[in-house]
C-alpha cells in the first residue's frame, strides 16, 4: 500500500475497503462465472466520466459570480476616464470611487461566512448576485457622483459575499485529485470578466462621454441571467448538508460527485467525523479569536497569502493600466484602451496554465514561479517608468512588464491563493476562516486602489512600482516559510500539515504521520 492510497483515503478502514474493492474489481472469480469484466469496467468508466462532467459543470456555474467582480475591475479602468469627463469628479473622488468597491466588499466577506453557515453555500451565492445586480443597476442610472457611490457600495458588498463563497463551495464538492484545478475556476472567471471589461471599454469608447460609461456598466448586469439558471442546476455542498444533519441529502450529492458507492461512504464518514469534532466546543468566532497552535498557523497562511495577493499591486496594475501606459508615453485614448485589452488577454490566457499544472506540480512550485516572476516584472516596470522616459523602448518595456506581471500573477498567486484558503481550514471553521482571509484580501485591495494615484503623485508612478517589487520579494520568503504543499490530500487530512509545525516547515505528510492521526481519532 503506497502513500498515495493513504492520502486519498485517510484511515485503515477506508484503506481496507480500497484494497478489497481493488481485488473484487480484478478477481473475476469473486463474481461467479457470469461476471463480465469488460462490461463492469465500462460501467465504471461511464460513471467516472459522468461524475467529472457534473463536478466540472457545478464548478463553472458556482464561479459565475466572479465574472461580475472581474468585469467591474476591468470596465472601471476605462469607464472612469469618461466618468471624470461627464460628472467632473476630482482625482481624490476617482480614487474613492475605484477603491470603495474593495473596502465595502470586506463587509460582504465578513458576513459571507456566517451567512453561508446559516442558509448554505448555494443560496449565499444567490444573495451575492442579487445585491451586486442592484448596485450595478443604480450605477448605470446614476445622475450624480453621490448616487454612483451608493451603487458602488452595494456592488462591493455583493462582490464580498461572492468572492469568498465560490472557492469554499467548489472545494467542498470536488474530488481530492482535481480539487486544485477546479477551485481555480473562480480566478479564471475573474480574469474572463476583466477581459470582457477591457473589451467593453474599447468597444464603447467612441460614444459620447455621458452615454459610454453607462453602457459599459450596464453590460455587467447580463450575467445575472446565467447565475439564475446556474442556481437551478447546482446542488448544495454535501459538507454543509452534513453540518445541518441532512445526511441523506449529502449522500445523494456525494453519489453524483464521486466515482463509486464505496468512495461515497468513505467521504461521508470523513465529513461526519470532521463535522462532529466540535459539537460541544466554543463558538466558531471565539475559536478563531483564541485559536489552537495548529489553527493559528492556518490563519497565518490563509490570511497572509490573501494579503500578499493584493499588496503586491495587482489591482493597481489592472485598475490603473491606462494611467501607467500614459506615464510611459501613450497619449491616445483608443491606444490606451487597446493596450489594456492586451493586458486582459495575457491575464486570462496564463490562468489556463495554472489550471493545467496546479494538481500536477503542486501549489507551492507555482507560488515560487509567480512571486519571483512578479518581483522581476514590477522592478522592470519601475525602471521603464523612472529611467527610460517616454520613448519607444520605455513604452515597449512598460507594456511587456505589465503583461509579464499579470501573467506571473495568473500562473500562481492569483488562483492558488483562493485554492489554499478554501482547503486548509477544518470543516467547523472553514467558511468563517475563509471569510477572514477574503477580508484581508479586500482591505489590501481597497488600500492599493484608493492610494495609488496619491502615492504615485508623491513619489512618481515608477517609484510606486519599486515599492510593489520589494513587497513581492517579501512574499517569496512568506511562501517558503509559511505555505505547505496541499496537493493530493483530502480536506479532512490537510489539518495534519499544520500539526507540530508542519505548516511552517512546509513538510510533506508521511505514512507514519497519517497512521498516527488515524489512531488519534
Amino acid at each position: 500500500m503506497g502513500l498515495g492510497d493513504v492520502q486519498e483515503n485517510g484511515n485503515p478502514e477506508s484503506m481496507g475497503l480500497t484494497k478489497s474493492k481493488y481485488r473484487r474489481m480484478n478477481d473475476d472469480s469473486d463474481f461467479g462465472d457470469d461476471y463480465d469484466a469488460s462490461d463492469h469496467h465500462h460501467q465504471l468508466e461511464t460513471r467516472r466520466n459522468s461524475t467529472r462532467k457534473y463536478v466540472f459543470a457545478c464548478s463553472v456555474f458556482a464561479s459565475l459570480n466572479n465574472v461580475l467582480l472581474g468585469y467591474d475591475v476591468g470596465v472601471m479602468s476605462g469607464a472612469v476616464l469618461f466618468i471624470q469627463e461627464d460628472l467632473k469628479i476630482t482625482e481624490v473622488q476617482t480614487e474613492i470611487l475605484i477603491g470603495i468597491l474593495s473596502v465595502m466588499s470586506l463587509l460582504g466577506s465578513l458576513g459571507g461566512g456566517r451567512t453561508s453557515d446559516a442558509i448554505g453555500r448555494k443560496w449565499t451565492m444567490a444573495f451575492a448576485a442579487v445585491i451586486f445586480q442592484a448596485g450595478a443597476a443604480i450605477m448605470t442610472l446614476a445622475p450624480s457622483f453621490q448616487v454612483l457611490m451608493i451603487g458602488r457600495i452595494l456592488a462591493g458588498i455583493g462582490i464580498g459575499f461572492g468572492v469568498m463563497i465560490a472557492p469554499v463551495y467548489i472545494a467542498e464538492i470536488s474530488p481530492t485529485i482535481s480539487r486544485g484545478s477546479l477551485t481555480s475556476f473562480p480566478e479564471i472567471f475573474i480574469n474572463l470578466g476583466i477581459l470582457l471589461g477591457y473589451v467593453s471599454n474599447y468597444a464603447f469608447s467612441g460614444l459620447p462621454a455621458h452615454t459610454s460609461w453607462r453602457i459599459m456598466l450596464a453590460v455587467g448586469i447580463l450575467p445575472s441571467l446565467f447565475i439564475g439558471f446556474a442556481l437551478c442546476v447546482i446542488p448544495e455542498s454535501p459538507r454543509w448538508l452534513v453540518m445541518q444533519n441532512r445526511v441523506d441529502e449529502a449522500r445523494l450529492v456525494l453519489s453524483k460527485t464521486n466515482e463509486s458507492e464505496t468512495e461515497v461512504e468513505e467521504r461521508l464518514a470523513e465529513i461526519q467525523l470532521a463535522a462532529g469534532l466540535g459539537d460541544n466546543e466554543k463558538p466558531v468566532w471565539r475559536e478563531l479569536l483564541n485559536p489552537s497552535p495548529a489553527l493559528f498557523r492556518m490563519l497565518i497562511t490563509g490570511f497572509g497569502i490573501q494579503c500578499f495577493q493584493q499588496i503586491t499591486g495587482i489591482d493597481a496594475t489592472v485598475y490603473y493600466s491606462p494611467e501607467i501606459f500614459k506615464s510611459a508615453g501613450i497619449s491616445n485614448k483608443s491606444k490606451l484602451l487597446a493596450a489594456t485589452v492586451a493586458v486582459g488577454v495575457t491575464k486570462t490566457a496564463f490562468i489556463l496554465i495554472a489550471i493545467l499544472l496546479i494538481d500536477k506540480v503542486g501549489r507551492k512550485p507555482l507560488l515560487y514561479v509567480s512571486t519571483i516572476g512578479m518581483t522581476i516584472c514590477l522592478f522592470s516596470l519601475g525602471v521603464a517608468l523612472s529611467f527610460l522616459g517616454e520613448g519607444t523602448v520605455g513604452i515597449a518595456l512598460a507594456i511587456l512588464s505589465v503583461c509579464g506581471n499579470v501573467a506571473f500573477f495568473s500562473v500562481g498567486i492569483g488562483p492558488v491563493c483562493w485554492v489554499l484558503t478554501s482547503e486548509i481550514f477544518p470543516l467547523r471553521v472553514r467558511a468563517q476562516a475563509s471569510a477572514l482571509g477574503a477580508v484581508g484580501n479586500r482591505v489590501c485591495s481597497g488600500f492599493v486602489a484608493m492610494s495609488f494615484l496619491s502615492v504615485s503623485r508623491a513619489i512618481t508612478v515608477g517609484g510606486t512600482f519599486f515599492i510593489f517589487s520589494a513587497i513581492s520579494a517579501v512574499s517569496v520568503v512568506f511562501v517558503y516559510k509559511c505555505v505547505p504543499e496541499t496537493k493530493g490530500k483530502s480536506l479532512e487530512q490537510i489539518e495534519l500539515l499544520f500539526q507540530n509545525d508542519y505548516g511552517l516547515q512546509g513538510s510533506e505528510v508521511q505514512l507514519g504521520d497519517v497512521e498516527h492521526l488515524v489512531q488519534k481519532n
Side-chain angles (χ1 to χ4, degrees):
M1 179 62 66
L3 177 58
D5 297 314
V6 176
Q7 289 177 341
E8 185 68 23
N9 294 296
N11 58 64
E13 292 78 13
S14 64
M15 284 186 274
L17 285 170
T18 304
K19 290 176 73 174
S20 62
K21 178 178 69 174
Y22 184 80
R23 288 197 302 270
R24 287 197 300 271
M25 288 170 58
N26 291 277
D27 186 355
D28 296 353
S29 63
D30 288 348
F31 292 89
D33 296 334
D34 296 330
Y35 175 68
D36 186 341
S38 63
D39 183 62
H40 181 70
H41 287 299
H42 176 70
Q43 291 177 7
L44 286 176
E45 189 63 29
T46 300
R47 173 162 180 168
R48 184 176 294 113
N49 291 335
S50 175
T51 296
R52 289 173 180 172
K53 291 177 182 177
Y54 184 76
V55 175
F56 181 87
C58 289
S59 301
V60 169
F61 289 146
S63 303
L64 288 177
N65 261 329
N66 292 65
V67 175
L68 304 177
L69 169 59
Y71 183 83
D72 185 275
V73 171
V75 80
M76 190 55 71
S77 68
V80 73
L81 301 176
F82 301 95
I83 293 173
Q84 289 171 328
E85 183 180 340
D86 183 32
L87 300 182
K88 309 296 188 233
I89 63 176
T90 65
E91 188 174 276
V92 172
Q93 287 176 316
T94 299
E95 285 184 314
I96 295 173
L97 179 66
I98 290 176
I100 197 65
L101 183 100
S102 296
V103 173
M104 298 309 300
S105 66
L106 73 88
L107 296 180
S109 294
L110 276 173
R114 297 291 295 273
T115 302
S116 65
D117 281 344
I119 67 175
R121 308 338 189 194
K122 174 179 175 177
W123 295 111
T124 299
M125 287 187 276
F127 187 55
V130 169
I131 295 177
F132 179 88
Q133 299 303 339
I138 291 173
M139 286 192 292
T140 300
L141 302 173
S144 65
F145 175 75
Q146 289 74 17
V147 177
L148 186 63
M149 284 291 294
I150 293 172
R152 192 89 172 136
I153 288 170
L154 282 176
I157 294 173
I159 282 174
F161 275 99
V163 80
M164 63 75 49
I165 195 57
V168 170
Y169 173 84
I170 295 172
E172 291 184 346
I173 67 165
S174 300
T176 298
I177 193 171
S178 57
R179 187 180 62 244
S181 57
L182 292 174
T183 311
S184 301
F185 276 25
E187 185 68 20
I188 292 180
F189 280 77
I190 288 177
N191 285 311
L192 179 60
I194 289 172
L195 177 58
L196 292 175
Y198 285 157
V199 171
S200 178
N201 286 338
Y202 186 72
F204 300 115
S205 61
L207 298 175
H210 179 73
T211 306
S212 59
W213 67 269
R214 297 178 188 277
I215 295 178
M216 293 173 186
L217 297 180
V219 172
I221 300 174
L222 297 179
S224 61
L225 303 176
F226 298 99
I227 293 171
F229 169 76
L231 292 171
C232 298
V233 174
I234 64 175
E236 184 52 84
S237 160
R239 288 170 170 83
W240 182 82
L241 291 171
V242 168
M243 290 173 68
Q244 305 300 311
N245 293 319
R246 294 158 60 178
V247 178
D248 290 338
E249 293 177 57
R251 181 181 287 107
L252 181 61
V253 176
L254 287 169
S255 70
K256 296 179 181 179
T257 59
N258 289 274
E259 297 175 3
S260 70
E261 292 305 319
T262 301
E263 191 176 356
V264 168
E265 294 305 321
E266 290 169 4
R267 295 287 84 79
L268 186 60
E270 283 185 357
I271 295 168
Q272 286 178 300
L273 177 64
L277 290 177
D279 283 345
N280 297 311
E281 297 179 3
K282 52 191 175 183
V284 171
W285 277 103
R286 192 174 299 170
E287 191 171 343
L288 292 175
L289 291 173
N290 186 27
S292 65
L295 181 57
F296 180 70
R297 297 183 193 109
M298 295 174 190
L299 290 170
I300 289 175
T301 300
F303 193 81
I305 198 69
Q306 288 277 9
C307 291
F308 274 114
Q309 191 207 51
Q310 292 297 329
I311 58 176
T312 48
I314 188 63
D315 272 6
T317 306
V318 175
Y319 273 127
Y320 295 106
S321 52
E323 290 286 337
I324 296 168
F325 294 138
K326 190 183 296 183
S327 298
I330 302 175
S331 56
N332 182 274
K333 189 176 291 186
S334 295
K335 289 181 179 179
L336 284 173
L337 296 179
T340 62
V341 172
V343 174
V345 170
T346 303
K347 198 171 188 297
T348 304
F350 276 83
I351 188 70
L352 301 178
I353 296 176
I355 301 307
L356 294 173
L357 296 180
I358 192 169
D359 283 316
K360 294 181 180 178
V361 305
R363 284 61 157 154
K364 201 160 183 175
L366 290 181
L367 284 174
Y368 279 136
V369 170
S370 176
T371 51
I372 293 172
M374 288 170 61
T375 301
I376 295 170
C377 290
L378 289 166
F379 185 82
S380 65
L381 181 57
V383 170
L385 297 176
S386 300
F387 303 115
L388 297 183
E390 299 183 354
T392 304
V393 175
I395 292 174
L397 183 58
I399 294 175
L400 183 63
S401 297
V402 171
C403 289
N405 183 55
V406 299
F408 280 113
F409 177 88
S410 292
V411 162
I413 197 168
V416 174
C417 164
W418 297 106
V419 173
L420 279 172
T421 51
S422 66
E423 67 185 6
I424 63 174
F425 296 110
L427 175 60
R428 171 175 164 76
V429 302
R430 181 174 300 141
Q432 296 187 43
S434 297
L436 279 179
V439 167
N441 183 284
R442 295 293 87 202
V443 169
C444 292
S445 172
F447 175 76
V448 170
M450 296 181 78
S451 64
F452 177 77
L453 289 179
S454 298
V455 173
S456 63
R457 294 293 179 269
I459 63 172
T460 74
V461 178
T464 306
F465 280 98
F466 282 130
I467 293 176
F468 287 142
S469 178
I471 295 172
S472 185
V474 175
S475 72
V476 180
V477 179
F478 177 84
V479 170
Y480 174 75
K481 290 287 188 181
C482 300
V483 179
E485 181 55 71
T486 58
K487 181 191 73 167
K489 302 168 180 67
S490 73
L491 294 177
E492 285 68 35
Q493 294 163 8
I494 287 175
E495 295 176 56
L496 185 61
L497 294 171
F498 293 89
Q499 301 291 342
N500 302 321
D501 292 331
Y502 287 155
L504 297 183
Q505 295 172 4
S507 302
E508 293 294 329
V509 178
Q510 302 298 322
L511 177 59
D513 298 327
V514 177
E515 290 175 342
H516 174 72
L517 180 65
V518 171
Q519 292 166 4
K520 179 180 171 183
N521 287 335

